[in-house]
Amino acid sequence: DAAATAYPTLADAARRLPGAHVQTNSRGEALVYFRGSGERQIAITLDGAPLITPWDRRADLGLLPTWGLERAAVATGTPSVAWGPNALGGALALTSRRAHSTDALTEAGATGGWPGSGRVAAAHVRQQNGWNLTLAADASTRDGEPVARQAVLPFGQAPGGLRTNTDRRRAAVLARIGRGTLALTLLHS
């Protein structure tokens, strides 16, 4: 969907969903909550495979390259057994982009802001001889939020310094190759 390219991260797009709340935790992970359900009660899949961090069953929506995604479908209500365990709060099914004709499509973009933020993203989709290829890359940087010089804040926030955990550097690559109903999707963040 072309609207997906307007959002720097999937977390930014999820903030626009009715009934969804996106919160950034102390580790900088963007976690989604549907109608007050915990992040571990929501199944998130990419091309049908669970998208979680193995050690704590959380999925950081800020790590996915949005230009590599075609669709995000939200399943609410009584969860289906197809979503597996821990889907009491609903499910978010992500689908990577695919070429729908034999034409190739390549997109690239860059944004920046002052002070110290920027993003570059690119995507390429192609269909040829029954094979469908998707490649997407996204990288961004954001300097930390400054703390006022006269501020007196707890927990070691030095006046005139940067607020803890507000800076970020991230990069992600998504690759998918498929033929018919068989496909391999790789995501590296």
Side-chain angles (χ1 to χ4, degrees):
D1 185 307
T5 62
Y7 301 104
T9 68
L10 187 59
D12 296 322
R15 285 182 174 93
R16 311 273 310 192
L17 294 171
H21 171 71
V22 177
Q23 177 180 333
T24 304
N25 67 14
S26 63
R27 294 189 306 210
E29 298 169 327
L31 307 172
V32 66
Y33 301 84
F34 293 139
R35 298 174 316 282
S37 295
E39 75 277 4
R40 290 185 181 105
Q41 297 173 333
I42 298 169
I44 301 176
T45 62
L46 175 62
D47 291 337
L51 186 64
I52 58 170
T53 305
W55 59 86
D56 65 0
R57 294 203 47 83
R58 294 180 178 182
D60 183 357
L61 297 184
L63 295 178
L64 289 163
T66 56
W67 282 29
L69 300 176
E70 182 172 278
R71 190 167 61 101
V74 177
T76 59
T78 306
S80 165
V81 295
W83 293 111
N86 302 327
L88 293 174
L92 178 60
L94 306 171
T95 306
S96 57
R97 282 176 88 172
R98 296 181 177 116
H100 297 285
S101 69
T102 56
D103 295 333
L105 172 67
T106 302
E107 297 177 317
T111 59
W114 185 85
S117 68
R119 174 180 179 236
V120 294
H124 177 78
V125 292
R126 178 181 195 95
Q127 186 182 85
Q128 187 173 355
N129 299 328
W131 289 92
N132 207 311
L133 173 70
T134 303
L135 297 171
D138 195 324
S140 67
T141 183
R142 179 184 71 206
D143 288 348
E145 297 291 327
V147 176
R149 295 200 189 285
Q150 304 276 334
V152 178
L153 299 172
F155 311 114
Q157 302 285 312
L162 296 177
R163 188 170 300 276
T164 304
N165 287 340
T166 59
D167 62 320
R168 184 164 191 169
R169 310 286 180 270
R170 75 172 181 85
V173 176
L174 183 138
R176 179 188 181 278
I177 187 166
R179 184 178 180 102
T181 59
L182 185 62
L184 173 67
T185 303
L186 301 172
L187 173 66
H188 178 74
S189 299

